[in-house]
Amino acid sequence: MATPRKIVLHSLQGYRAELDAIVIQWIQERIKYVGIVGVDTSLIEDIIDELCVGDGSSSYFMVTVETSNALVDTLIYHFSVRPNSSKEGLQNANSR
């Protein structure tokens, strides 16, 4: 079984409309995990989730994890060490 592909998105300026096309490409490439850190993380996570659901006729399952207070390195480490990343685990890593 292949390892699911993972992406860490570092949002420097918040949501931009160009992200929609990028997420569609991630769906086509079968990306399984997206970690979001930086500006507007909650909004970006919601938009990614909405694009994955679409109209409901052919939804795609992608795990999204957002945190506005984590360092990019923390998120990358978390995704590389724990293949089944969860928000709870990331929050625990941030509280150290």
Side-chain angles (χ1 to χ4, degrees), residues 20-53:
D20 296 12
I22 294 169
V23 173
I24 299 301
Q25 183 178 352
W26 291 344
I27 293 169
Q28 293 168 349
E29 293 175 4
R30 313 306 288 173
I31 300 300
K32 295 292 182 189
Y33 300 92
V34 177
I36 309 145
V37 63
V39 180
D40 286 343
T41 57
S42 183
L43 172 64
I44 292 170
E45 180 183 36
D46 289 345
I47 290 170
I48 292 172
D49 291 344
E50 288 175 14
L51 289 168
C52 287
V53 171

Side-chain angles (χ1 to χ4, degrees), residues 42-89:
S42 183
L43 172 64
I44 292 170
E45 180 183 36
D46 289 345
I47 290 170
I48 292 172
D49 291 344
E50 288 175 14
L51 289 168
C52 287
V53 171
D55 65 4
S57 63
S58 61
S59 297
Y60 179 74
F61 182 77
M62 182 185 299
V63 174
T64 54
V65 176
E66 64 88 13
T67 180
S68 58
N69 61 351
L71 298 174
V72 173
D73 292 342
T74 302
L75 195 59
I76 291 170
Y77 174 79
H78 185 71
F79 268 20
S80 67
V81 173
R82 303 182 69 194
N84 295 319
S85 302
S86 68
K87 288 183 182 182
E88 179 181 325

